[in-house]
Every structure is written in structure tokens, then in C-alpha cells.
Amino acid sequence: MRGYLRADGRKGIRDIIVVGYLVECAHHVAREIASPFQDADVHVIGFPGCYPNPYAQTMMERLCTHPNVAAVLLVSLGCESFDKWGLANSVRESGRPVRTVVIQAAGGTRKSVDAGRAFVAEQLKAREGAPTVPMDPSELIVGTVCGGSDGTSGITGNPAAGVAFDLLVEAGAACIFEETGELIGCEHIMAARAATPELGIELEKSVEKAARYYATLGYGSFAAGNADGGLSTIEEKSMGAYAKSGGSPITGLIKPGDRPPRGGLYLLDVVPDGEVRFGFPNINDNAEIAELIACGAHAVLFVTGRGSVVGSAISPVVKICANPETYRRMSDDMDVDAGRILEGKAGLMEVGREIRDLVLSLGEGRRTVSEELGHREFILTYKSFEPLGPACLPG
């Protein structure tokens, strides 16, 4: 593998220029700045809210200083509450070029777009032929999420992703599985895999918190599409979702924006702490993908049975299709046909190794299908989290 060496010593498998808007009022200007560079790795991300939120600030700081990011342009309307100068300083201190365009000060849309495009063009030119250095699999962080699950997801795609995770953890990588709301009923099984009894208790608490959160909302992480695909209960869905964690010991529990301190397997707790304040924890799959990337994920494994077309800004998304019929319909959007397991055309270990090898090949320049199709979806909303306790990252 090869990587782009950053000033903090981390390495990225992509060399992205980020255009980040800091309120919805600046979203259009950010898109216009990036529009001429669709064939280059210029990605738009942002926070739509107008009042401040520590979670959103942390997320934007982690995303703008992600190892896959080379330079950052921030786009501000000017009167929003986001701490744009604090964010710009964080990016600057990370060793990355950064510029902030304030629309109200620049003179409106056209002048802001012109200034932003000039910066992006300058950075793209500066990054031409950027050198790479050797990168070991132990330097990778990989996330996994499932979306559009059906009755095949827990039989093929998710356990195949779990095999890939076991192989990557064995090589020293950090792997992150998530969505405690889709692990309800599996908390005791999961706790038994914890590195310490204290961590096991924290894992159980995180799932219990999710169950309380969903009970307060009056609905859980179970969609009509899941039922149409043959799933009948949240516990049934949970068992399938749990399978993508593999069988390695669970090293730690983290929250959005927390970076794994070392290799191993981590659970990402995505359900906010405290009282229900901001509605559904993650309003779609891309919210979860963004949180995995904010934790440093170089790439994200996305398992689907019903079918999904999403990718993401910043880090490539590997699409693993669990259902052979879905794969035949949507093969142009899929990287891995895990449905072959169901049809007896491949074994679980074979597909798991294929996924592992695909992840490693991303560090050699391979592009995922979602990257080739230009999928750069992104969403960020309000949440609230408390700091990690000492039991969450033992040793």
C-alpha cells in the first residue's frame, strides 16, 4: 500500500480538497465553488445549523483534519454561530492549507465563488504529483455499516464483512462497527467479547441507552424496507447487523469523532447521551458513514440486501451486496457480490478475503464503484455526547 503522509504522521489513501460550508445559507456557494472540479477529488461537506453545537464542531474538525484530506476551504455566510476561526485554526495547526471565505465580507455569491475557486485551483496545482510513502495495513482504520438490510444480509454480506474485519484486525488495523440501536438483543453476547469486564459493562450500557432512546421516540431502527425484505423483529435485524463485527475481541468503545488509539475492534456508540433532544439519532445511512469517517476511517464497508447507491465524501465506500437478486439488478453500483455465498458459488472466507483485498487495493489507487459514479453524499445534524469514561478504552 501507499499513502499520503500528513504533518501529524498519519497517512491517507486519498488526497482530497474539502470545501466545507458552515451554515445552510452557504451551501449553494460551496457547491458552486466545487462544481468545475467534479473530475477532481474536491468534496463538499458542511453543517447546516445556525446555532452552535459542540458535536458538530468536533465532527467538522475531525473531518477537515482527516488523513485523506490535503487542504480545506471553509465557506461562511458570516453571521452564523459556528466557530469558523476555531475550525480554521485547527486545520492550520494540522499542517494543512486552509482559507475561509466569508460571503458577507467578500461581497456576495459571485465574488465568494470566484475567491473559492481560485483557492481550490491553487491547491489542486500544488498537489499535482504529490508524493506517497509506504503504508502498512496496521495504519488503516476501516468502518462498517449496513443499510437497506433484508433477510440475506445477516447470512452473507454482514458475516463476510466480519471475516474481512477479523483479517484486518489480525494485520494490526483498527476496525469500527456501529449503530447500537441495531444491536438491541445482542448486548450480552457482545459484552462477553470485551477486552475487560468493565468494558463489557460499558458496551451493555450503550445498547440499553439506545433502547431507551428509541422507546422515547416511539419507534426503533427498523424500517418498512427491512420488513419487505423478510426481517420480522429488531432482534432478528440485530443478529444480522452484529455479524459484521466478526469474531475478534472488542478492544474499546468510542463515540463520534473519537479516534481509535491503536489497532483492534471498536464499537462506535452513535446514540446521543442525555435526554432525547434532537430526534432520530441518525436520519439516514450517510449520517453514520460521516461519523465513522470522523473517527478516522480511511474506508467504509457498506453492506446492503435491498440495494443502495450512496457513497460518501472524504473516504471511499465499498458496497457489499448480500442478495444475489439485488446484485443482478444493481451490479453497476456494487463492489462485491456476497450473494454468491447464498447460491453456493463462493464460501464465506473467500468473500471475506475478497473484501479485505479490495480494502488494501484502495491504498494502491483502486477506486470504488461509488467513487467512479461520483457519489459524495454527506449529512451532519445536531447531537450531544459526554466524554468517554476510563473503562471505554482499557489498556
Side-chain angles (χ1 to χ4, degrees), residues 43-350:
H43 296 191
V44 176
I45 69 171
F47 177 59
C50 195
Y51 66 93
N53 178 252
Y55 159 81
Q57 188 82 27
T58 297
M59 286 285 292
M60 287 295 288
E61 288 180 3
R62 296 294 189 267
L63 291 163
C64 289
T65 58
H66 189 282
N68 285 353
V69 173
V72 178
L73 173 70
L74 301 177
V75 186
S76 160
L77 176 62
C79 56
E80 72 277 359
S81 297
F82 199 100
D83 182 8
K84 53 182 171 286
W85 304 120
L87 174 58
N89 285 335
S90 294
V91 177
R92 189 173 296 109
E93 289 172 0
S94 77
R96 292 166 173 78
V98 59
R99 187 168 300 173
T100 305
V101 173
V102 181
I103 297 169
Q104 291 167 345
T109 298
R110 288 190 174 88
K111 292 177 181 177
S112 299
V113 169
D114 288 345
R117 287 178 179 174
F119 175 77
V120 171
E122 172 188 310
Q123 294 305 313
L124 286 173
K125 184 173 180 59
R127 297 305 300 175
E128 284 180 4
T132 59
V133 297
M135 183 174 178
D136 192 79
S138 63
E139 299 175 89
L140 279 174
I141 301 177
V142 183
T144 186
V145 62
C146 48
S149 300
D150 69 4
T152 68
S153 298
I155 302 171
T156 62
N158 285 338
V163 168
F165 259 28
D166 288 341
L167 294 170
L168 288 164
V169 167
E170 185 179 353
C175 292
I176 309 170
F177 70 110
E178 53 71 67
E179 240 290 74
T180 45
E182 290 187 354
L183 293 170
I184 294 170
C186 298
E187 58 268 32
H188 304 306
I189 307 170
M190 189 164 56
R193 293 170 56 195
T196 65
E198 293 78 14
L199 174 59
I201 292 170
E202 294 299 324
L203 296 173
E204 290 182 338
K205 285 181 178 178
S206 70
V207 178
E208 290 164 1
K209 177 184 66 171
R212 289 194 303 271
Y213 202 98
Y214 286 126
T216 302
L217 290 174
Y219 53 87
S221 185
F222 191 91
N226 300 141
D228 290 342
L231 295 172
S232 61
T233 64
I234 184 61
E235 289 83 4
E236 189 176 20
K237 184 181 182 185
S238 293
M239 289 300 293
Y242 174 71
K244 67 182 184 292
S245 68
S248 303
I250 298 175
T251 307
L253 171 68
I254 58 176
K255 298 180 183 182
D258 294 325
R259 296 167 182 157
R262 64 189 71 84
L265 180 66
Y266 296 81
L267 172 65
L268 175 60
D269 179 4
V270 301
V271 175
D273 293 321
E275 299 299 318
V276 177
R277 297 175 57 199
F278 300 118
F280 198 72
N282 276 327
I283 61 175
N284 58 41
D285 295 326
N286 278 95
E288 299 169 15
I289 292 172
E291 290 177 332
L292 288 164
I293 296 171
C295 292
H298 293 88
V300 176
L301 309 181
F302 188 115
V303 183
T304 182
R306 299 300 304 278
S308 176
V309 300
V310 300
S312 177
I314 298 179
S315 294
V317 173
V318 176
K319 298 296 253 316
I320 303 165
C321 189
N323 190 318
E325 294 182 3
T326 303
Y327 184 85
R328 283 188 277 273
R329 285 196 308 273
M330 300 184 64
S331 59
D332 288 348
D333 284 278
M334 303 300 165
D335 293 288
V336 178
D337 177 13
R340 288 151 43 218
I341 299 168
L342 197 65
E343 296 182 321
K345 297 177 180 178
L348 183 60
M349 288 299 300
E350 178 184 348

